Amino acid sequence: MKLATLKNGHRDGQLMVVSRNLRNAVIAKPFTTLQQALDNWTEAEQVLNLQYQALNQGSAFEAFAFDPTLVAAPLPRAYQWCDGSAFLNHAHLLQKAFDLAPMKDERIPLMYQGASDDFLGPCDDVPLPEVSHNIDFEGEFAVIVGEVPMGCPADQALQYVRLVLLVNDVSLRGFLLHEVSTGFGFFQSKPSSSFSPVAVTPDALGDAWRDGRVCLPLTVTWNHSWFGAPNGAEMSFSFADLIAHAARTRRLRAGTIIGSGTVSNVDRTVGSACISERRAIEMIEQRKPLTGFMNFGDRIRIEALDGEGESVFGAIDQRVVDATSLTQKAMS
């Protein structure tokens, strides 16, 4: 099943059911928002799946063409956003390139709690104040969970995964090292994240959902040029591990989103999913970073294709823009 949220002037939008091929959609009934569906998932899954099947069969009443430019993030705002760092290869590259101290215990995943009050849609512009903040993109996979009990072990965690989606976890590298060094972690370095047009149930991924991992390449293009296509299969920690980590000392409410962190593979020929990793590889191989960060007007596209070349989640396809000019225009 595939779900999306139509922008309708309200903060939480209108829930839609989207066809398997992402061509058509229908307004979900009786659930008006994705959060409402997640809060009543036992009933919602059955009702929405019937609408999904009718849509795929061409028998859905009042179906219309699906337009990703008209949708918000599947959850435009969420109760909680927990982003992990589940690809150890990414951490190892940064450690080697910038002579950073190694993780104290690589058996425990890293995770931070990010802001979740203002997510961006897949085709929304990304407004930021200054290019001097070293703007970076980060391509990730993520899951949305139902109610997860405190202390949930990893071997039971996947039963709580409701939906899977893509993330552009925008990062401002100019703030990052200072914030990490304070011991309090990320804040200004992590502006609003962006999400794929649709979120899909794990069964919609077929064989690509294995061992709590999305075993698909995540294709990233920057200003229409290929940047990388690392595969989610190389997660050092699965989503089961990340869920268990997040729930170790507290329960997780329905609608909590958990991210994988930057997708990263040992094989460097598949490229990277963020600029910082490419710069780290350049430091290792050529002793200096050669790739700059993003400028206003730059476009980033993040997409996962299945074995037949079909888009699974739709594409995050957006520009970075000057927030100052937008503010001035709104005031004039």
Side-chain angles (χ1 to χ4, degrees):
M1 183 165 58
K2 300 190 176 186
L3 303 174
T5 294
L6 180 68
K7 294 179 181 178
N8 66 350
H10 298 281
R11 288 183 176 178
D12 298 308
Q14 169 65 57
L15 181 63
M16 297 190 296
V17 180
V18 183
S19 63
R20 184 181 298 108
N21 60 13
L22 305 182
R23 294 176 186 169
N24 298 296
V26 67
I27 297 298
K29 297 177 181 179
F31 304 96
T32 58
T33 69
L34 180 53
Q35 185 60 54
Q36 184 186 26
L38 291 165
D39 288 337
N40 300 277
W41 190 252
T42 300
E43 176 189 358
E45 183 179 26
Q46 297 178 357
V47 172
L48 297 176
N49 193 52
L50 289 175
Q51 297 173 43
Y52 179 64
Q53 296 303 327
L55 191 58
N56 290 324
Q57 294 164 8
S59 59
F61 181 62
E62 296 183 339
F64 51 88
F66 177 64
D67 185 347
T69 67
L70 300 181
V71 303
L75 273 177
R77 53 179 177 169
Y79 288 119
Q80 185 166 216
W81 159 234
C82 304
D83 199 14
S85 183
F87 292 84
L88 287 178
N89 181 67
H90 177 70
H92 293 161
L93 287 172
L94 296 182
Q95 289 165 9
K96 183 175 182 179
F98 301 106
D99 196 26
L100 302 175
M103 294 171 58
K104 292 182 179 180
D105 190 344
E106 291 192 348
R107 297 170 299 176
I108 302 173
L110 295 176
M111 182 175 286
Y112 76 93
Q113 189 178 54
S116 57
D117 59 317
D118 187 32
F119 291 141
L120 299 177
C123 300
D124 291 346
D125 287 341
V126 182
L128 294 169
E130 294 181 28
V131 293
S132 62
H133 293 159
N134 294 344
I135 304 166
D136 200 354
F137 50 82
E138 290 191 55
E140 306 184 16
F141 293 104
V143 298
I144 302 175
V145 300
E147 299 275 325
V148 181
M150 179 171 62
C152 173
D155 62 5
Q156 297 179 25
L158 293 182
Q159 66 180 301
Y160 301 107
V161 174
R162 301 291 181 253
L163 297 162
V164 186
L165 63 171
L166 306 181
V167 188
N168 176 17
D169 182 39
V170 181
S171 295
L172 302 180
R173 302 294 181 184
F175 291 111
L176 198 143
L177 288 178
H178 169 72
E179 291 190 330
V180 170
S181 68
T182 66
F184 260 43
F186 307 135
F187 193 78
Q188 292 179 336
S189 57
K190 293 292 185 178
S192 297
S193 296
S194 309
F195 290 82
S196 52
V198 302
V200 312
T201 50
D203 63 282
L205 292 170
D207 293 340
W209 179 249
R210 297 194 304 273
D211 301 322
R213 296 166 171 84
V214 183
C215 300
L216 293 172
L218 188 65
T219 302
V220 179
T221 58
W222 178 15
N223 290 332
H224 309 289
S225 296
W226 184 88
F227 194 85
N231 198 299
E234 284 194 28
M235 280 179 79
S236 306
F237 300 99
S238 69
F239 278 111
D241 297 320
L242 295 180
I243 293 167
H245 179 79
R248 183 177 182 183
T249 59
R250 55 165 299 169
R251 63 186 174 187
L252 306 179
R253 289 300 197 181
T256 294
I257 306 176
I258 297 179
S260 67
T262 305
V263 180
S264 178
N265 290 177
V266 172
D267 179 4
R268 295 180 187 174
T269 65
V270 302
S272 299
C274 74
I275 298 172
S276 183
E277 181 171 297
R278 175 179 279 190
R279 286 168 60 88
I281 292 171
E282 291 168 346
M283 286 279 290
I284 294 168
E285 295 181 347
Q286 303 181 56
R287 302 198 176 191
K288 63 179 180 179
L290 303 175
T291 303
F293 291 102
M294 300 184 82
N295 292 305
F296 293 142
D298 282 7
R299 181 170 290 277
I300 181 67
R301 183 181 176 94
I302 300 172
E303 189 171 22
L305 305 180
D306 62 19
E308 298 178 354
E310 297 295 326
S311 185
V312 178
F313 308 90
I316 296 172
D317 190 351
Q318 52 191 178
R319 295 180 310 146
V320 173
V321 299
D322 185 351
T324 304
S325 66
L326 292 179
T327 302
Q328 292 173 344
K329 185 181 296 185
M331 294 175 63
S332 63

